[in-house]
Structure formats: structure tokens, C-alpha cells
């Protein structure tokens, strides 16, 4: 059974460019979470979806960040325009209702904004 | 903000020794979970303990929970070099589905 899939694994871009990160959750999972991890701030929840609907986006840092989940098997996190302080590892995780909130994480996307 | 605070931030031990990591949290919880993160990888769920449980075992892992002190500990017995990783506690509270992660403990097991 495939786990959470994220692409790309690494992204290097220049300041001002648009960045799109992609996630495919585990089939059948109905919750999807986007996290950002940095040395300074640790692991931060950005936004999460339930059945493709955004539930809590209070962690999204600025209007430059947006996330969508057009269907149950795909989500995107977009940063436009990107800034050097957005450099971090971005994780996607999914979970299944009734399973004690155990979350399954993808391998992450390491974003570097120059 | 991180609800969980972990102690110590870093721990270095010899292979075969036991490793103990602690986690403190601030609000009432439904359950507390421990995750491991190997360098450059995503987090992997290790073990979950519910608020009405005091101790739980899984292989070489032992987790305790003291809700009166709002704290938990993770014990890894007979550590191996492969246990080298960061360990995070995460709490689940109320009806919310999100987890609140601690700051993590970096464990290094020396061969």
C-alpha cells in the first residue's frame, strides 16, 4: 500500500517565483494536513482539509500561501511570490477518521528560495 | 505555537543503553502520540497512549502518561544505532483533528 506521496522532493527557486508543492494522500483517508518544518520554528501546521474542504487555515502565514484540494487524491500548496524566509521542509500528512488521529506523513519537499 | 515541550533537546548514549525522553503539554488531551523522524525523512508514528491510560508498551518502547502533571515519557530500551533520530510528542485535544507537536528530542546512539 503506497504511503503519502509528495512532489517534488527538492525545489530550488529564486525569490519572487511561484512554487507549487503537490501531495497525494493515502487512498481512503479523509483528512489531509500541510506542515512546515524549520529549525527555528519546528513543525507548524499550516492548513488541514476534511473531505476536500479546508477546515482550519489559521496557520497559513500570509496571503502568499494558498492550498487547494480539488479531489480526494490530490492537494497543492502554492506560494506566490516566494521569499527566502519560505525556505523549509514542507510535509503533507493524511489520516482516517476514527483512528485516534494517527497521521501518516509523506517524505517532504525541501524548498530553498534564493 | 508548540504545546509540547520536550526534554532533553538532545541526548547522546551508547548502544545498548536505555534512552528516556520527556514531553510536557499544557491543555487536557484525548491522547498523546510519539513520532520518530530520521534525518531527511517524514515523521513515522510510533505509539499512542490515551488519556485514560498510564502506561503502554510496544516492543522496545515504553510510554507513560501522567495527566495530573501533563507529562509523558518515552523509554527506548537496549538502544541501537538505528534508533538515532528525532523524536516528537504530539497531542490530540477536544474534537479537533489536528495534532500539536513538541519541539523534539534529537537522539544519537553511538555504536
Amino acid at each position: 500500500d503506497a504511503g503519502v506521496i509528495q512532489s517534488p522532493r527538492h525545489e530550488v527557486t529564486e525569490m519572487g517565483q511561484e512554487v507549487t508543492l503537490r501531495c497525494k494522500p493515502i487512498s481512503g483517508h479523509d483528512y489531509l494536513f500541510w506542515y512546515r518544518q524549520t529549525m527555528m520554528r519546528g513543525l507548524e501546521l499550516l492548513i488541514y482539509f476534511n473531505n476536500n474542504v479546508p477546515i482550519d487555515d489559521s496557520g497559513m502565514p500570509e496571503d502568499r500561501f494558498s492550498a487547494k484540494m480539488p479531489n480526494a487524491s490530490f492537494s497543492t500548496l502554492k506560494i506566490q511570490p516566494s521569499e527566502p524566509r519560505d525556505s523549509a521542509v514542507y510535509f503533507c500528512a493524511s489520516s482516517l477518521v476514527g483512528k485516534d488521529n494517527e497521521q501518516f506523513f509523506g517524505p517532504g519537499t525541501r524548498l530553498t528560495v534564493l | 505555537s508548540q504545546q509540547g515541550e520536550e526534554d532533553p533537546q538532545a541526548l547522546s548514549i551508547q548502544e545498548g543503553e536505555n534512552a528516556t525522553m520527556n514531553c510536557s503539554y499544557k491543555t487536557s488531551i484525548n491522547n498523546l502520540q510519539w513520532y520518530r523522524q530520521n534525518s531527511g525523512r517524514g515523521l513515522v508514528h510510533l505509539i499512542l497512549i490515551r488519556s485514560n491510560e498510564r502506561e503502554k508498551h510496544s516492543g522496545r518502547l515504553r510510554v507513560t502518561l501522567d495527566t495530573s502533571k501533563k507529562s509523558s515519557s518515552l523509554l527506548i530500551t537496549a538502544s541501537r544505532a538505528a534508533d538515532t533520530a528525532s523524536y516528537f510528542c504530539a497531542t490530540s485535544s477536544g474534537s479537533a483533528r489536528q495534532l500539536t507537536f513538541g519541539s523534539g528530542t534529537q537522539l544519537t546512539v553511538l555504536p
Side-chain angles (χ1 to χ4, degrees):
Chain A
D1 189 16
V4 175
I5 299 171
Q6 291 186 246
S7 65
R9 294 294 310 278
H10 302 273
E11 177 81 26
V12 180
T13 190
E14 293 190 346
M15 183 173 63
Q17 296 298 306
E18 177 179 297
V19 175
T20 299
L21 311 181
R22 298 171 175 80
C23 175
K24 177 179 168 57
I26 292 173
S27 178
H29 281 193
D30 43 14
Y31 284 86
L32 184 140
F33 305 82
W34 281 102
Y35 291 90
R36 178 173 69 177
Q37 186 178 41
T38 61
M39 289 294 292
M40 290 296 294
R41 300 175 67 87
L43 194 64
E44 303 173 280
L45 176 66
L46 300 178
I47 185 172
Y48 78 95
F49 296 82
N50 176 215
N51 292 326
N52 314 338
V53 176
I55 302 300
D56 185 349
D57 66 354
S58 59
M60 296 286 261
E62 301 169 33
D63 291 345
R64 299 184 295 105
F65 286 68
S66 62
K68 295 182 179 180
M69 192 165 186
N71 58 62
S73 59
F74 184 65
S75 178
T76 60
L77 178 68
K78 185 176 293 186
I79 308 172
Q80 166 64 21
S82 58
E83 296 183 3
R85 60 192 168 120
D86 301 330
S87 297
V89 182
Y90 291 81
F91 289 101
C92 176
S94 68
S95 71
L96 186 62
V97 65
K99 292 294 286 182
D100 289 323
N101 266 359
E102 177 184 345
Q103 294 185 11
F104 295 80
F105 281 74
T109 295
R110 181 173 295 277
L111 173 65
T112 302
V113 183
L114 303 173
Chain B
S1 63
Q2 303 282 340
Q3 165 164 236
E5 292 297 327
E6 283 157 270
D7 164 51
Q9 288 189 334
L11 178 62
S12 184
I13 59 174
Q14 294 292 137
E15 205 164 27
E17 295 180 340
N18 296 341
T20 300
M21 289 159 269
N22 303 295
C23 168
S24 60
Y25 57 91
K26 297 175 184 174
T27 64
S28 60
I29 60 172
N30 299 325
N31 64 62
L32 186 143
Q33 305 177 32
W34 286 90
Y35 287 77
R36 183 186 71 212
Q37 183 180 32
N38 290 87
S39 180
R41 309 288 291 273
L43 280 73
V44 175
H45 182 266
L46 292 177
I47 192 167
L48 177 152
I49 187 165
R50 294 189 175 87
S51 60
N52 61 354
E53 298 175 312
R54 291 297 166 257
E55 187 171 313
K56 202 161 185 180
H57 297 254
S58 176
R60 293 183 298 113
L61 304 179
R62 173 178 169 249
V63 172
T64 61
L65 179 65
D66 186 335
T67 53
S68 66
K69 295 181 179 178
K70 293 187 168 56
S71 67
S72 173
S73 67
L74 172 68
L75 168 68
I76 304 174
T77 60
S79 63
R80 306 166 182 168
D83 295 328
T84 294
S86 291
Y87 292 81
F88 295 86
C89 66
T91 55
S92 173
S93 303
S95 59
R97 289 296 299 190
Q98 64 262 47
L99 295 174
T100 304
F101 283 85
S103 51
T105 292
Q106 172 63 50
L107 173 66
T108 302
V109 181
L110 302 170

